[in-house]
Amino acid sequence: MDSPVENSRGAAQPADSPSTVAVPPLAPKPVRVAAAIGFAVLVLALFQIGQQWALAHLPDFAYFYRGGMWLGQHGVFDPGYDVTAAGERIARGTIEWYLPFVHRFMTMWTWIPDFTVLGHTVAGQSVSGIVWLLFNLTVFVCTIRLIGRYFVGLPRQDWIVTQLIPILITILFWHWEFRLNQINNLTLLLLVGSFVCWRRGHSTAAGLWVGFATLLKVTPGLLIVWFLLKRQYRVVVFAGLTVLLAGPVADLVAFRDAEYVADRYRAWVAAVVGKTSHRALIMNDYEMDWRNQSVSATANRLLHHTNYSTHFDNDPSITFGDHEPPRFINIVNLPSEWVVRIVMGILVASLLGLLWLGRKPAADMSEWHLRFEWALFVLAMLWFTPIMRRYHMIWALPTVSLLFAGIHYSGHRGRWVWTATTALLLLTAGQLSLLSKWLGGTQIMEAFGVFTWTVLILAIPMVWMSLRLSANENALPMDYNLKVQPAPEPPYPEAAVAAS
């Protein structure tokens, strides 16, 4: 009988002998070429989508740009208004919900001044937008490559082939991420990079990347909690140091004014707690239109008489949704305080359940178990965030890719496979349901929280597989890339020791 090979954190999995292990099955060359062409076309399409909005100076990149520009020009954070030639102040949207780190980060993209070419003035913001877009596309490719090569356990050489379908069935979310030139793509790369670095034995780098992700979007702090549950204290320490040193300490060094920095953080806390927490959103009827797919917004639209028509509460300069008539979908009309209690009960119960599910230390878990649990925590970021829009759903990509891998390694049969397949089909159907708007309807599907429910549905097979793996770490066979092979380049240092 073959002896077991220890996985990278100690859980034993059966393995074949080096002489009997087959080379990972690769896709036929025509399929690989077609996938590469399709991926290239997709990247070009995302560039075309993003450059139109970047050149038109439209949100959301405009918010980030102005935040960085104001800080670079005036040495203070963006006050939220533009000044006309006549000296009039015009209020507009800001990035007040983001940590001060983001303002400093965006100064890197605002140094290009306006210039003249052949008698035509080219705005520095336009060039900066295109540079940011190219950076974002590079980040996109790197993210997909990391997931395909080091996360899903499918043949590394075929990462474009294996990841093309997960990208295509989440294409609406990527469309909006690049249309608005957002930063969720970069956040996802940092999160995926932190996991890959950790599994390759680089705990310091893993902590660094997840720390920067937390500074960008705050909600990735949930992954620091996950590393703590896994007893990966080195990752947690370096993540905390990154947040501290690149955040408030760097602000003190940059501004040399402790009182000003303290005021900015107090203002940030006031904006987050007083305006954009789950409770504040419900009680103030703020950010409750169809675009917000968070648990609190969806529950409030269903349980309280809440107008779901388009309204831009966070940007007074945008008025095109003001003419829409009020629309309602509530099935009852509960007091706002009752809705708050219901929502907070759901979120607290979800958090406790998630922490219980993740209680097992990494040393006792297989690679598959770690992957499914980590992806579930990334998916949970969508569940817990108070403001969740279409583009945030790109964070579901690790879950989608992993479900496809799990279906493959389960032999395409069984109740779990049917559940996972159904979840993926409903994810696709949820995006197709938005065609009703293009056909002259309203945004009623998003008002009902189509993506809120999608996150919950995707979580079902993820939780199920995590429980199966917790009971039996060998519930899924060892993936191709971790098996002992005649002359491989092992993905993790521990695998190299085991192979020797």
Side-chain angles (χ1 to χ4, degrees):
M1 185 174 69
D2 298 323
S3 60
V5 176
E6 291 290 304
N7 83 338
S8 60
R9 291 292 163 186
Q13 294 190 5
D16 301 315
S17 65
S19 60
T20 61
V21 173
V23 175
L26 300 179
K29 186 174 181 180
V31 174
R32 302 177 74 182
V33 171
I37 294 173
F39 189 74
V41 170
L42 178 64
V43 170
L44 291 175
L46 292 175
F47 174 80
Q48 178 65 19
I49 292 166
Q51 63 91 18
Q52 292 177 355
W53 279 54
L55 296 178
H57 300 177
L58 295 174
D60 283 354
F61 178 74
Y63 299 144
F64 296 110
Y65 180 84
R66 289 166 180 167
M69 177 62 75
W70 196 284
L71 179 59
Q73 290 181 342
H74 304 279
V76 295
F77 291 106
D78 182 12
Y81 59 79
D82 289 323
V83 181
T84 66
E88 179 185 3
R89 293 184 178 182
I90 301 177
R92 54 167 170 76
T94 67
I95 52 174
E96 61 177 343
W97 303 339
Y98 292 84
L99 282 166
F101 169 84
V102 178
H103 296 254
R104 289 189 287 105
F105 173 70
M106 291 311 300
T107 59
M108 297 170 53
W109 310 94
T110 60
W111 57 270
I112 302 174
D114 296 349
F115 58 93
T116 302
V117 177
L118 300 177
H120 296 281
T121 300
V122 179
Q125 181 174 345
S126 299
V127 179
S128 297
I130 296 299
V131 172
W132 170 261
L133 175 60
L134 293 173
F135 169 75
N136 230 1
L137 286 169
T138 303
V139 166
F140 171 74
V141 174
C142 291
T143 302
I144 303 306
R145 188 175 186 273
L146 281 178
I147 292 175
R149 288 180 62 85
Y150 301 107
F151 184 69
V152 295
L154 297 172
R156 292 184 179 182
Q157 301 95 316
D158 279 347
W159 64 272
I160 292 181
V161 177
T162 62
Q163 295 310 296
L164 189 58
I165 292 179
I167 296 169
L168 290 176
I169 70 170
T170 56
I171 192 61
L172 174 72
F173 313 134
W174 291 105
H175 169 93
W176 278 92
E177 173 70 13
F178 280 92
R179 180 172 180 175
L180 301 179
N181 286 312
Q182 260 279 348
I183 64 173
N184 304 287
N185 180 30
L186 176 58
T187 305
L188 181 59
L189 173 63
L190 293 172
L191 291 175
V192 174
S194 71
F195 183 86
V196 172
C197 284
W198 173 55
R199 300 313 295 142
R200 292 176 68 85
H202 307 300
S203 296
T204 301
L208 183 71
W209 302 143
V210 75
F212 278 123
T214 303
L215 285 169
L216 285 178
K217 297 294 290 190
V218 181
T219 45
L222 185 62
L223 275 300
I224 299 179
V225 175
W226 183 79
F227 278 115
L228 183 62
L229 291 171
K230 300 303 104 183
R231 285 53 157 189
Q232 300 303 303
Y233 302 118
R234 186 180 182 88
V235 178
V236 173
V237 167
F238 278 93
L241 287 174
T242 300
V243 171
L244 178 65
L245 296 178
V249 172
D251 289 327
L252 289 172
V253 173
F255 294 101
R256 301 180 183 179
D257 188 338
E259 185 176 352
Y260 177 71
V261 172
D263 285 342
R264 290 306 310 169
Y265 276 90
R266 283 192 288 267
W268 177 78
V269 171
V272 171
V273 176
K275 293 177 64 177
T276 60
S277 65
H278 288 284
R279 175 183 175 82
L281 291 176
I282 295 171
M283 296 303 298
N284 299 329
D285 195 28
Y286 187 73
E287 289 293 329
M288 285 294 158
D289 63 86
W290 59 269
R291 297 172 303 146
N292 190 356
Q293 297 287 289
S294 71
V295 174
S296 54
T298 298
N300 202 44
R301 290 191 295 261
L302 291 172
L303 303 178
H304 186 69
H305 199 55
T306 304
N307 175 23
Y308 77 81
S309 294
T310 306
H311 47 275
F312 291 85
D313 295 328
N314 63 326
D315 190 345
S317 66
I318 299 179
T319 60
F320 69 79
D322 295 346
H323 67 280
E324 293 188 10
R327 297 186 178 94
F328 306 90
I329 58 167
N330 56 296
I331 54 179
V332 294
N333 188 15
L334 300 179
S336 296
E337 279 287 359
W338 289 23
V339 180
V340 169
R341 293 191 186 107
I342 292 171
V343 169
M344 295 312 297
I346 292 172
L347 293 177
V348 169
S350 301
L351 180 59
L352 292 176
L354 190 66
L355 296 178
W356 176 85
L357 192 67
R359 70 194 184 282
K360 199 172 184 179
D364 298 332
M365 298 170 66
S366 67
E367 283 299 321
W368 283 120
H369 196 177
L370 289 169
R371 292 167 183 169
F372 271 88
E373 197 174 280
W374 177 86
L376 180 62
F377 269 69
V378 175
L379 187 69
M381 288 164 42
L382 297 168
W383 185 251
F384 292 115
T385 184
I387 296 179
M388 196 262 281
R389 309 212 191 278
R390 292 175 181 176
Y391 46 82
H392 289 116
M393 284 290 293
I394 67 171
W395 292 343
L397 182 65
T399 289
V400 173
S401 297
L402 202 54
L403 288 178
F404 273 108
I407 291 170
H408 172 79
Y409 278 97
S410 296
H412 300 85
R413 61 183 179 273
R415 288 180 296 173
W416 181 87
V417 169
W418 280 105
T419 303
T421 302
T422 301
L424 293 170
L425 290 174
L426 289 174
L427 169 66
T428 306
Q431 296 174 80
L432 294 176
S433 71
L434 304 186
L435 293 175
S436 62
K437 173 62 177 177
W438 297 348
L439 298 175
T442 65
Q443 301 286 3
I444 192 170
M445 292 304 299
E446 283 177 288
F448 273 111
V450 60
F451 298 131
T452 311
W453 300 110
T454 297
V455 171
L456 182 60
I457 290 168
L458 287 172
I460 293 172
M462 297 297 291
V463 172
W464 187 354
M465 181 56 75
S466 294
L467 291 172
R468 284 180 58 186
L469 290 166
S470 183
N472 176 16
E473 294 293 343
N474 300 320
L476 288 177
M478 182 181 290
D479 73 59
Y480 305 121
N481 301 310
L482 288 180
K483 284 186 176 181
V484 181
Q485 302 211 13
E489 179 186 350
Y492 313 128
E494 297 91 340
V497 174
S500 64

